[in-house]
Short mmCIF file of all heavy atoms in Angstrom, two decimals:
data_model
loop_
_atom_site.label_atom_id
_atom_site.label_comp_id
_atom_site.label_asym_id
_atom_site.label_seq_id
_atom_site.Cartn_x
_atom_site.Cartn_y
_atom_site.Cartn_z
N VAL A 1 98.93 122.91 -52.41
CA VAL A 1 97.60 122.40 -52.76
C VAL A 1 97.73 120.93 -53.24
O VAL A 1 96.95 120.02 -52.74
CB VAL A 1 97.01 123.20 -53.92
CG1 VAL A 1 95.75 122.51 -54.46
CG2 VAL A 1 96.67 124.55 -53.36
N GLN A 2 98.68 120.60 -54.01
CA GLN A 2 98.82 119.20 -54.53
C GLN A 2 99.17 118.28 -53.38
O GLN A 2 98.66 117.15 -53.28
CB GLN A 2 99.83 119.08 -55.62
CG GLN A 2 99.97 117.73 -56.26
CD GLN A 2 98.73 117.37 -57.01
OE1 GLN A 2 97.91 118.22 -57.36
NE2 GLN A 2 98.56 116.05 -57.29
N ALA A 3 100.06 118.71 -52.48
CA ALA A 3 100.41 117.89 -51.34
C ALA A 3 99.21 117.55 -50.48
O ALA A 3 99.01 116.42 -50.04
CB ALA A 3 101.54 118.53 -50.53
N THR A 4 98.37 118.59 -50.27
CA THR A 4 97.15 118.40 -49.48
C THR A 4 96.26 117.41 -50.14
O THR A 4 95.66 116.54 -49.53
CB THR A 4 96.44 119.74 -49.26
OG1 THR A 4 97.37 120.62 -48.56
CG2 THR A 4 95.20 119.56 -48.41
N ALA A 5 96.09 117.60 -51.50
CA ALA A 5 95.16 116.75 -52.22
C ALA A 5 95.57 115.29 -52.16
O ALA A 5 94.81 114.37 -52.05
CB ALA A 5 95.05 117.22 -53.67
N GLU A 6 96.97 115.08 -52.21
CA GLU A 6 97.47 113.68 -52.18
C GLU A 6 97.36 113.06 -50.81
O GLU A 6 97.31 111.85 -50.64
CB GLU A 6 98.91 113.67 -52.69
CG GLU A 6 99.05 114.06 -54.12
CD GLU A 6 98.45 113.03 -55.06
OE1 GLU A 6 98.21 111.95 -54.65
OE2 GLU A 6 98.21 113.43 -56.22
N ALA A 7 97.43 113.90 -49.77
CA ALA A 7 97.55 113.37 -48.41
C ALA A 7 96.21 113.10 -47.78
O ALA A 7 96.12 112.48 -46.75
CB ALA A 7 98.34 114.38 -47.57
N THR A 8 95.14 113.68 -48.35
CA THR A 8 93.82 113.55 -47.72
C THR A 8 92.91 112.73 -48.61
O THR A 8 93.12 112.53 -49.80
CB THR A 8 93.18 114.95 -47.51
OG1 THR A 8 93.09 115.59 -48.76
CG2 THR A 8 94.12 115.75 -46.60
N GLN A 9 91.80 112.30 -48.00
CA GLN A 9 90.80 111.48 -48.76
C GLN A 9 90.22 112.42 -49.87
O GLN A 9 89.78 113.51 -49.54
CB GLN A 9 89.72 111.04 -47.83
CG GLN A 9 88.61 110.29 -48.50
CD GLN A 9 89.11 108.93 -49.02
OE1 GLN A 9 89.99 108.35 -48.44
NE2 GLN A 9 88.57 108.43 -50.10
N HIS A 10 90.19 111.91 -51.06
CA HIS A 10 89.77 112.75 -52.21
C HIS A 10 88.22 112.66 -52.38
O HIS A 10 87.68 111.58 -52.39
CB HIS A 10 90.41 112.24 -53.49
CG HIS A 10 89.90 112.96 -54.73
ND1 HIS A 10 90.04 114.27 -54.89
CD2 HIS A 10 89.30 112.45 -55.80
CE1 HIS A 10 89.50 114.61 -56.06
NE2 HIS A 10 89.03 113.53 -56.63
N ALA A 11 87.61 113.81 -52.39
CA ALA A 11 86.16 113.86 -52.62
C ALA A 11 85.99 114.61 -53.92
O ALA A 11 86.35 115.79 -54.00
CB ALA A 11 85.43 114.53 -51.47
N ARG A 12 85.34 113.99 -54.95
CA ARG A 12 85.17 114.64 -56.21
C ARG A 12 84.20 115.80 -56.10
O ARG A 12 83.23 115.72 -55.32
CB ARG A 12 84.66 113.68 -57.24
CG ARG A 12 85.65 112.55 -57.58
CD ARG A 12 85.45 112.05 -58.94
NE ARG A 12 85.69 113.08 -59.95
CZ ARG A 12 85.07 113.12 -61.19
NH1 ARG A 12 84.20 112.21 -61.46
NH2 ARG A 12 85.41 114.09 -62.01
N PRO A 13 84.41 116.87 -56.87
CA PRO A 13 83.46 117.97 -56.87
C PRO A 13 82.05 117.50 -57.20
O PRO A 13 81.87 116.51 -57.96
CB PRO A 13 84.02 118.89 -57.93
CG PRO A 13 85.47 118.60 -58.01
CD PRO A 13 85.57 117.11 -57.77
N LYS A 14 81.10 118.15 -56.71
CA LYS A 14 79.66 117.78 -56.96
C LYS A 14 79.03 118.34 -58.22
O LYS A 14 77.94 118.04 -58.57
CB LYS A 14 78.82 118.20 -55.73
CG LYS A 14 79.27 117.47 -54.48
CD LYS A 14 78.37 117.92 -53.29
CE LYS A 14 78.75 117.18 -52.00
NZ LYS A 14 77.85 117.62 -50.88
N ALA A 15 79.79 119.18 -58.93
CA ALA A 15 79.30 119.79 -60.14
C ALA A 15 78.85 118.68 -61.11
O ALA A 15 79.47 117.65 -61.21
CB ALA A 15 80.28 120.68 -60.79
N ALA A 16 77.79 118.92 -61.89
CA ALA A 16 77.20 117.85 -62.71
C ALA A 16 78.08 117.44 -63.89
O ALA A 16 77.95 116.34 -64.35
CB ALA A 16 75.84 118.30 -63.18
N LYS A 17 78.94 118.37 -64.38
CA LYS A 17 79.62 118.07 -65.64
C LYS A 17 81.11 118.01 -65.38
O LYS A 17 81.88 118.42 -66.28
CB LYS A 17 79.26 119.15 -66.66
CG LYS A 17 77.79 119.13 -67.07
CD LYS A 17 77.53 120.16 -68.16
CE LYS A 17 76.05 120.08 -68.57
NZ LYS A 17 75.72 121.12 -69.62
N CYS A 18 81.56 117.44 -64.31
CA CYS A 18 83.00 117.29 -64.11
C CYS A 18 83.57 116.16 -65.01
O CYS A 18 83.07 115.00 -64.92
CB CYS A 18 83.29 116.97 -62.66
SG CYS A 18 82.92 118.27 -61.49
N PRO A 19 84.46 116.47 -65.85
CA PRO A 19 84.99 115.37 -66.81
C PRO A 19 85.65 114.26 -66.07
O PRO A 19 86.38 114.49 -65.05
CB PRO A 19 86.02 116.20 -67.64
CG PRO A 19 85.62 117.63 -67.50
CD PRO A 19 85.13 117.79 -66.09
N THR A 20 85.47 113.07 -66.57
CA THR A 20 85.95 111.87 -65.93
C THR A 20 86.69 110.98 -66.89
O THR A 20 86.18 110.78 -68.01
CB THR A 20 84.78 111.07 -65.30
OG1 THR A 20 84.09 111.92 -64.40
CG2 THR A 20 85.30 109.81 -64.59
N LEU A 21 87.80 110.42 -66.52
CA LEU A 21 88.51 109.45 -67.36
C LEU A 21 87.65 108.19 -67.50
O LEU A 21 86.99 107.75 -66.55
CB LEU A 21 89.85 109.06 -66.69
CG LEU A 21 90.89 110.17 -66.56
CD1 LEU A 21 92.02 109.75 -65.68
CD2 LEU A 21 91.39 110.52 -67.94
N THR A 22 87.57 107.66 -68.69
CA THR A 22 86.64 106.54 -68.95
C THR A 22 87.38 105.26 -69.21
O THR A 22 86.76 104.16 -69.18
CB THR A 22 85.75 106.86 -70.22
OG1 THR A 22 86.51 107.11 -71.30
CG2 THR A 22 84.85 108.07 -69.85
N VAL A 23 88.63 105.30 -69.60
CA VAL A 23 89.41 104.08 -69.92
C VAL A 23 90.15 103.61 -68.68
O VAL A 23 91.00 104.40 -68.14
CB VAL A 23 90.39 104.32 -71.07
CG1 VAL A 23 91.20 103.03 -71.35
CG2 VAL A 23 89.62 104.70 -72.32
N SER A 24 89.89 102.51 -68.20
CA SER A 24 90.54 102.02 -66.97
C SER A 24 91.65 100.99 -67.22
O SER A 24 92.62 100.90 -66.47
CB SER A 24 89.50 101.42 -65.99
OG SER A 24 88.81 100.37 -66.60
N GLU A 25 91.50 100.21 -68.30
CA GLU A 25 92.48 99.11 -68.63
C GLU A 25 93.80 99.78 -68.92
O GLU A 25 93.91 100.76 -69.63
CB GLU A 25 91.97 98.36 -69.80
CG GLU A 25 92.89 97.17 -70.19
CD GLU A 25 92.37 96.41 -71.38
OE1 GLU A 25 91.29 96.81 -71.89
OE2 GLU A 25 93.06 95.49 -71.84
N GLY A 26 94.88 99.15 -68.43
CA GLY A 26 96.28 99.56 -68.76
C GLY A 26 96.90 100.50 -67.77
O GLY A 26 98.11 100.64 -67.80
N TRP A 27 96.11 101.03 -66.88
CA TRP A 27 96.74 101.94 -65.89
C TRP A 27 97.26 101.12 -64.71
O TRP A 27 96.59 100.17 -64.25
CB TRP A 27 95.68 102.96 -65.40
CG TRP A 27 95.35 104.04 -66.39
CD1 TRP A 27 94.16 104.11 -67.03
CD2 TRP A 27 96.18 105.06 -66.83
NE1 TRP A 27 94.25 105.22 -67.89
CE2 TRP A 27 95.46 105.83 -67.79
CE3 TRP A 27 97.49 105.48 -66.59
CZ2 TRP A 27 95.95 106.91 -68.41
CZ3 TRP A 27 98.00 106.54 -67.26
CH2 TRP A 27 97.26 107.28 -68.16
N TYR A 28 98.42 101.46 -64.23
CA TYR A 28 99.09 100.73 -63.17
C TYR A 28 98.70 101.37 -61.82
O TYR A 28 98.66 102.56 -61.61
CB TYR A 28 100.60 100.90 -63.35
CG TYR A 28 101.45 100.21 -62.24
CD1 TYR A 28 101.68 98.83 -62.28
CD2 TYR A 28 101.86 100.96 -61.14
CE1 TYR A 28 102.41 98.22 -61.28
CE2 TYR A 28 102.63 100.34 -60.17
CZ TYR A 28 102.88 98.99 -60.21
OH TYR A 28 103.62 98.37 -59.22
N GLY A 29 98.43 100.48 -60.85
CA GLY A 29 98.20 100.88 -59.45
C GLY A 29 97.18 101.96 -59.39
O GLY A 29 96.04 101.91 -59.82
N LYS A 30 97.57 103.07 -58.69
CA LYS A 30 96.66 104.20 -58.43
C LYS A 30 96.89 105.35 -59.46
O LYS A 30 96.36 106.45 -59.23
CB LYS A 30 96.87 104.74 -57.05
CG LYS A 30 96.56 103.70 -55.94
CD LYS A 30 96.81 104.30 -54.57
CE LYS A 30 96.45 103.26 -53.50
NZ LYS A 30 96.64 103.85 -52.11
N ASN A 31 97.54 105.10 -60.55
CA ASN A 31 97.90 106.15 -61.52
C ASN A 31 96.65 106.87 -62.06
O ASN A 31 96.54 108.06 -62.11
CB ASN A 31 98.75 105.60 -62.64
CG ASN A 31 100.11 105.30 -62.23
OD1 ASN A 31 100.56 105.60 -61.15
ND2 ASN A 31 100.90 104.61 -63.15
N ARG A 32 95.65 106.06 -62.48
CA ARG A 32 94.42 106.68 -63.01
C ARG A 32 93.74 107.53 -61.96
O ARG A 32 93.24 108.61 -62.28
CB ARG A 32 93.47 105.59 -63.55
CG ARG A 32 92.18 106.10 -64.13
CD ARG A 32 91.41 104.91 -64.75
NE ARG A 32 90.11 105.40 -65.26
CZ ARG A 32 88.98 105.37 -64.59
NH1 ARG A 32 89.02 104.95 -63.28
NH2 ARG A 32 87.84 105.76 -65.08
N ALA A 33 93.64 107.02 -60.75
CA ALA A 33 92.99 107.79 -59.69
C ALA A 33 93.75 109.06 -59.37
O ALA A 33 93.09 110.11 -59.17
CB ALA A 33 92.92 106.90 -58.40
N ARG A 34 95.07 109.05 -59.36
CA ARG A 34 95.78 110.26 -59.13
C ARG A 34 95.70 111.25 -60.28
O ARG A 34 95.57 112.46 -60.02
CB ARG A 34 97.24 109.89 -58.89
CG ARG A 34 97.44 109.13 -57.58
CD ARG A 34 98.94 108.96 -57.28
NE ARG A 34 99.54 110.23 -56.98
CZ ARG A 34 100.84 110.43 -56.80
NH1 ARG A 34 101.72 109.38 -56.95
NH2 ARG A 34 101.37 111.62 -56.51
N LEU A 35 95.57 110.71 -61.48
CA LEU A 35 95.35 111.67 -62.62
C LEU A 35 93.98 112.29 -62.51
O LEU A 35 93.81 113.52 -62.76
CB LEU A 35 95.48 110.90 -63.94
CG LEU A 35 96.88 110.50 -64.34
CD1 LEU A 35 96.90 109.53 -65.44
CD2 LEU A 35 97.74 111.75 -64.78
N GLN A 36 92.99 111.52 -62.21
CA GLN A 36 91.66 112.05 -61.97
C GLN A 36 91.64 113.11 -60.90
O GLN A 36 90.97 114.19 -60.99
CB GLN A 36 90.68 110.99 -61.68
CG GLN A 36 89.21 111.43 -61.61
CD GLN A 36 88.69 111.91 -62.93
OE1 GLN A 36 88.63 111.09 -63.91
NE2 GLN A 36 88.36 113.17 -63.05
#
């Protein structure tokens, strides 16, 4: 599952209350996006 998620274009779930990271400063490269 994780390999598939990393290898394909990520589309966030459409549910209204999906938690989202709010702090962007300090993250290197794509780290924040991969954590999300």
Side-chain angles (χ1 to χ4, degrees):
V1 169
Q2 184 68 17
T4 300
E6 295 293 343
T8 60
Q9 180 68 31
H10 175 62
R12 295 206 65 207
K14 295 181 179 180
K17 296 183 179 180
C18 293
T20 302
L21 294 168
T22 60
V23 177
S24 57
E25 183 181 358
W27 289 110
Y28 177 84
K30 297 181 180 179
N31 287 350
R32 180 174 176 269
R34 292 187 67 188
L35 288 166
Q36 186 65 62

